[in-house]
Amino acid sequence: MTGLELSRSRALFAEAQGLLPGGVSSPVRAFRSVGGDPIFFARGEGAEVWDEDGNRYVDCCCSWGPLALGHAHPAVVEAVCEAARKGTSFGTPTAEELALARLVRELQPLAERVRFVSSGTEAVMSAVRLARGATGRDLLLKFDGCYHGHADYLLVKAGSGLATAGQADSAGVPEAIAGTTAVLPLGDLDALRAFFRERGAEVAAAIVEPVPANCGLLLQEPAFLEALRAETRAAGALLIFDEVISGFRLGPRGAAGRYGIEPDLLTFGKVIGGGLPVGAYAGRAELMEQVAPSGPVYQAGTLSGNPVAMAAGRAALEALRDGGWERLAERGERLAALLEPVLAPHPVSLVREGSIFWLAFQEPAPRAWHQVDRAGAERYRVLHRALLERGVYLAPSAYEVGFLSTAHTDEHLEAIAAALVDALPLACGGSA
Ligand SMILES: *Cc1c(COP(=O)(O)O)cnc(C)c1O
């Protein structure tokens, strides 16, 4: 079935299954939604990766988003090595964490105070605790089709019918906890207004991915995000923009800047760590000072503000500030121009925001999770395999987005387009 030699990846995966649950450290890596065994990567440089069998791919996953500069960017590698030589962790304040915090605030003035953590999940969890502590309310509002990490009360899906109370979306999440989260569809202004009329006074915070990029790329109308800002404000609730993907990828001010909306709290991850495990939450001083030790909302971390990770994040943000964001936006436009004639014969939409893109097997592209045609997953399975065989690595799930980096050259983008010319007719059958 495959022209790829993958025997070493296959052998490693066979061993991994006896060592790690499902053979992986995070579920989607296991390739279950595209079939076949996962590919073990051994090395990356710029926009290219090599697997354990020596196959080379143009990487359109970029570690699920963090690598906005591509793999092993020299400035990031240098910063990591230099920091590591001085000691990898102290558990004390360091100048390195100030350097990153200073940069974050310079780039995103809404981040008057920043607390560093070690993952996006931890950033979101902590921001929600802060919102609940600051408002004295428990109810959290989220939107179907957004992902915010794996805290119990965020592993919640929409209830049946008109009910907004969330239902647990994982074993091990108590219904009582799932019940502290309400779930609404993205983009539905009527549902939003009705919900706030009925329950606005109970809401601690609404959390949203302003550029929803975890269930495909479900781009929102500005009016929806503006209404969410207005409703939360009127209800005395906080608005959390989960910018774990969009933050420092779309530009210095992320999606908040893109839409000109000021959330109360921002969460970061992925790009902010330059490929090392960093998350952060940030906002107005008065709000953030309610976090311990200044305030009553507890949150801590042994490796938080880790100097090696901070150095990687600083080097990455500096490179992005010095021309990186313009390059990312331009790379996105270049890819779109190349793909337009390639996609035209097929019922496939390119959804794109800057350097984030998604191929939706439907026209027009969906803006809410319930509009996503699930039949696309089968087509994606075929597409994914055909692209691997042609040296292009997309995320192993139909609902994960693609990412470009500043290291994607014209040749890389042309290779992606050329691979799609061959692969799309296989995936879309006789539609061409
Ligand atoms: C990836 C992601 C998270 C979780 O971050 P982890 O570092 O994987 O814990 C949270 N929110 C959004 C929007 C994400 O894309």
Side-chain angles (χ1 to χ4, degrees):
M1 159 193 176
T2 167
L4 277 179
E5 170 57 43
L6 291 169
S7 55
R8 208 172 139 67
S9 272
R10 213 167 285 129
L12 287 166
F13 190 55
E15 187 192 358
Q17 284 171 291
L19 289 168
L20 313 169
V24 290
S25 297
S26 192
V28 71
R29 297 179 193 176
F31 268 49
R32 298 235 172 147
S33 56
V34 290
D37 287 347
I39 296 174
F40 281 59
F41 284 176
R43 186 168 75 82
E45 190 183 325
E48 300 176 14
V49 284
W50 286 263
D51 69 17
E52 287 281 353
D53 290 279
N55 301 299
R56 186 184 67 101
Y57 309 88
V58 177
D59 186 9
C60 295
C61 181
C62 293
S63 188
W64 309 92
L67 304 181
L69 302 165
H71 294 269
H73 186 276
V76 176
V77 172
E78 183 50 37
V80 165
C81 293
E82 198 185 316
R85 274 193 291 269
K86 293 193 242 168
T88 55
S89 184
F90 304 106
T92 67
T94 62
E96 201 53 82
E97 71 193 343
L98 295 194
L100 183 56
R102 205 181 292 126
L103 190 53
V104 165
R105 191 175 61 185
E106 245 170 63
L107 297 168
Q108 172 48 284
L110 294 174
E112 290 176 4
R113 297 284 185 281
V114 185
R115 170 62 62 87
F116 290 113
V117 293
S118 300
S119 71
T121 293
E122 217 188 329
V124 168
M125 248 174 59
S126 310
V128 170
R129 183 180 305 133
L130 171 55
R132 285 171 163 165
T135 57
R137 301 173 181 181
D138 291 341
L139 188 63
L140 179 69
L141 172 63
K142 82 176 280 280
F143 295 90
D144 200 20
C146 289
Y147 175 72
H148 302 291
H150 62 84
D152 284 350
Y153 48 84
L154 285 164
L155 289 180
V156 164
K157 61 187 173 197
S160 54
L162 295 176
T164 53
Q167 289 177 358
D169 202 15
S170 163
V173 174
E175 286 299 337
I177 288 179
T180 64
T181 303
V183 185
L184 290 180
L186 278 167
D188 188 335
L189 284 167
D190 293 339
L192 182 72
R193 294 195 176 115
F195 174 81
F196 272 94
R197 262 197 308 278
E198 197 182 317
R199 301 195 69 186
E202 297 168 55
V203 178
I207 185 165
V208 70
E209 282 182 84
V211 175
N214 276 287
C215 292
L217 188 55
L218 304 173
L219 297 181
Q220 296 304 295
E221 302 281 5
F224 173 69
L225 296 170
E226 284 157 11
L228 183 59
R229 176 64 284 186
E231 292 290 344
T232 44
R233 189 167 278 145
L238 300 180
L239 176 60
I240 304 172
F241 268 10
D242 182 353
E243 298 230 32
V244 169
I245 283 183
S246 51
F248 304 111
R249 176 170 278 279
L250 296 184
R253 299 186 188 197
R258 156 81 176 74
Y259 288 100
I261 293 173
E262 294 195 2
D264 300 289
L265 291 168
L266 292 150
T267 56
F268 300 113
K270 302 197 168 102
V271 172
I272 198 176
L276 270 77
V278 180
Y281 60 111
R284 287 191 302 281
E286 141 269 321
L287 195 52
M288 290 297 294
E289 290 294 346
Q290 299 198 35
V291 175
S294 303
V297 179
Y298 190 72
Q299 186 270 311
T302 302
L303 292 172
S304 294
N306 173 270
V308 180
M310 296 289 105
R314 179 178 49 77
L317 294 195
E318 282 172 354
L320 289 166
R321 179 194 60 194
D322 301 338
W325 287 306
E326 290 77 7
R327 166 102 178 145
L328 281 176
E330 184 272 325
R331 294 289 79 193
E333 276 164 30
R334 177 88 186 124
L335 180 70
L338 285 166
L339 293 196
E340 198 188 291
V342 175
L343 302 185
H346 302 284
V348 178
S349 317
L350 175 71
V351 189
R352 187 180 68 87
E353 180 69 60
S355 57
I356 310 170
F357 67 95
W358 180 52
L359 297 176
F361 287 89
Q362 64 194 96
E363 292 170 314
R367 288 183 186 274
W369 181 230
H370 62 84
Q371 295 167 355
V372 173
D373 179 359
R374 303 300 199 273
E378 188 45 43
R379 291 175 164 192
Y380 189 83
R381 170 196 289 265
V382 176
L383 184 78
H384 186 262
R385 176 58 52 174
L387 289 178
L388 282 180
E389 290 170 1
R390 289 161 181 78
V392 174
Y393 188 84
L394 285 188
S397 160
Y399 307 121
E400 299 287 348
V401 295
F403 295 99
L404 296 178
S405 73
T406 57
H408 282 79
T409 62
D410 284 351
E411 290 70 35
H412 292 126
L413 302 183
E414 284 156 15
I416 296 167
L420 280 167
V421 168
D422 289 352
L424 276 169
L426 304 174
C428 296
S431 65

